[in-house]
Amino acid sequence: MTGFQGGQFISIHKLTLIFHGADVFDYGDAARLISLIHPRLSLVAGVMARTAAEESGLPVRYDGRRPSEILAEYPLDQVVLIHRAKTNASAHRFGSLIHSHLKDRGLILIDPGTCQILSWEPGDPSLSTWLSEITGYPVVSGNYHETSPPDTRVIGGCLPGEPVFVNGIIIGYATGEEAIISLQNGTIQAVSGIDLKDHGVEKLVRFGCPDVSKAWCKSGNIRISRPKKGTRNVQKGHVVVIDHAAMSCFRAFNPEICGLVTIGDDTTSICGHIGCFRGIPVLGITDGDIDGIVPEGYAPGSVVLQAVRERDDDLGIEIAGKVPNEPVDWDTWVEKIIQELGDRVRVVHREPHDK
């Protein structure tokens, strides 16, 4: 039972807030909205959002599913999505994509980036009105995007020059407000608004080219804030390999892991960023093809190597084959690998140990 009476939203249930994206934590939106709304539960969707949420210290819980999957579990009057968009167009595009997965139910999206509350039918006007009163944001009807042709994906809300991601891999750079890609003959093709990065497409295909209509796609940097540094996890433990799939590193984290071997420039910077607060170092294998999508930060004991004459893909696979199944002393093992590689690599970063 819900209603709007005397300027107050009435409900027998308190709200659940779903926060998506690191920016809502880095800009202080999550802290402000939690203090205003006093939700029953605050959930976090998104890998880098999880990192920012952990650093914030706010009382939130991580949920690894897509926002639409979480939203579908709740009645409309009991859940609100929060996401900070770059532009008004990207706010509507993001919300409409989420809404398109919710079948016959509505969506309420608070967007602190554009200072508005977007609502898709069938909505709950009383909840939207209450949220508007306590946040000061106006309520706006959400736009609906057109359905893309089969095997085609429109990635909206881009800024020219931004990296464009498919399943966490940069496949190119936006040249307009919409990057349109298609799946043809088992690979990604540019339709308009994007300059493809051949090596990125090659990596995506190597891991199995996805259904672009369902893949996780975005443009722009993953996070703008530098990571906070935590204490070292463990000195001795298991080593895990992350090969051009940085967003999967959370699944590898456990109390027995002493470090990550990360293959790829952006994979190394992302895993280093995520592992920094958790105190998990990386041995990064790179070749100088970095896109700068997150501010770099590394846990103590991290070392980044750059291949001198080889591609990071090939060298990384070789080093991955040297990872033992049994626990190792991280620092000793890393130095052994560096000695074995000799002049095939050069050390481009070494994070000092805690004093």
Side-chain angles (χ1 to χ4, degrees):
M1 176 180 179
T2 63
F4 186 79
Q5 300 176 0
Q8 184 178 7
F9 177 71
I10 307 299
S11 176
I12 58 174
H13 299 283
K14 290 185 178 180
L15 286 174
T16 290
L17 302 182
I18 301 174
F19 294 98
H20 180 269
D23 284 352
V24 292
F25 294 95
D26 291 338
Y27 280 93
D29 304 320
R32 174 174 174 264
L33 291 170
I34 287 173
S35 68
L36 286 174
I37 296 172
H38 301 290
R40 177 186 68 86
L41 181 64
S42 295
L43 299 176
V44 180
V47 174
M48 200 55 72
R50 177 178 181 177
T51 302
E54 290 178 348
E55 294 178 12
S56 75
L58 292 171
V60 298
R61 192 174 80 194
Y62 179 70
D63 191 309
R65 294 172 296 169
R66 295 171 183 253
S68 58
E69 294 174 322
I70 307 172
L71 285 160
E73 289 191 356
Y74 295 86
L76 177 62
D77 63 348
Q78 295 177 24
V79 63
V80 175
L81 179 63
I82 298 154
H83 172 82
R84 173 176 274 264
K86 294 172 291 186
T87 65
N88 185 60
S90 62
H92 283 270
R93 182 74 190 180
F94 174 78
S96 66
L97 281 172
I98 299 295
H99 180 254
S100 69
H101 294 294
L102 295 176
K103 296 183 179 179
D104 298 324
R105 58 157 288 167
L107 169 68
I108 294 175
L109 167 66
I110 300 178
D111 181 10
T114 58
C115 297
Q116 58 187 334
I117 296 169
L118 291 86
S119 177
W120 281 264
E121 296 295 336
D124 186 334
S126 60
L127 175 54
S128 298
T129 303
W130 179 74
L131 290 169
S132 177
E133 182 167 289
I134 65 170
T135 62
Y137 298 157
V139 179
V140 178
S141 294
N143 295 337
Y144 294 84
H145 70 281
E146 296 181 2
T147 302
S148 300
D151 295 327
T152 301
R153 180 68 175 268
V154 178
I155 305 167
C158 302
L159 298 175
E162 285 185 331
V164 177
F165 296 81
V166 174
N167 286 354
I169 294 175
I170 297 176
I171 63 158
Y173 302 90
T175 60
E177 294 183 357
E178 290 186 339
I180 305 178
I181 58 175
S182 66
L183 179 62
Q184 299 178 21
N185 300 318
T187 189
I188 297 293
Q189 300 287 337
V191 177
S192 64
I194 183 173
D195 285 333
L196 290 180
K197 178 182 178 181
D198 292 338
H199 188 42
V201 173
E202 176 189 326
K203 286 186 286 188
L204 188 67
V205 171
R206 177 154 61 92
F207 288 104
C209 210
D211 178 350
V212 293
S213 66
K214 299 177 181 179
W216 175 73
C217 301
K218 77 174 297 289
S219 67
N221 291 342
I222 294 178
R223 192 182 183 194
I224 61 171
S225 298
R226 299 191 71 86
K228 294 181 180 178
K229 187 163 293 188
T231 57
R232 185 77 175 263
N233 186 38
V234 293
Q235 173 68 34
K236 186 174 182 178
H238 290 282
V239 176
V240 175
V241 177
I242 306 293
D243 183 2
H244 290 99
M247 297 306 181
S248 67
C249 68
F250 269 110
R251 295 197 293 270
F253 292 162
N254 62 64
E256 288 75 42
I257 182 176
C258 68
L260 303 172
V261 170
T262 56
I263 305 173
D265 291 76
D266 293 309
T267 302
T268 293
S269 63
I270 294 171
C271 290
H273 185 113
I274 294 173
C276 188
F277 184 69
R278 288 174 167 255
I280 298 175
V282 302
L283 174 61
I285 314 303
T286 70
D287 56 18
D289 184 28
I290 193 167
D291 291 285
I293 53 179
V294 294
E296 289 192 343
Y298 296 98
S302 294
V303 177
V304 180
L305 305 178
Q306 184 171 313
V308 174
R309 297 174 295 274
E310 304 164 74
R311 295 202 315 172
D312 53 24
D313 307 62
D314 303 323
L315 186 59
I317 292 173
E318 178 185 334
I319 295 172
K322 298 177 182 292
V323 174
N325 293 323
E326 66 275 6
V328 300
D329 179 275
W330 173 257
D331 293 336
T332 302
W333 185 77
V334 167
E335 292 305 317
K336 176 185 175 185
I337 294 296
I338 295 173
Q339 292 297 319
E340 289 179 359
L341 293 174
D343 63 2
R344 296 170 63 191
V345 298
R346 61 188 182 93
V347 177
V348 294
H349 182 85
R350 187 184 290 269
E351 191 68 23
H353 293 282
D354 296 323
K355 295 181 179 179

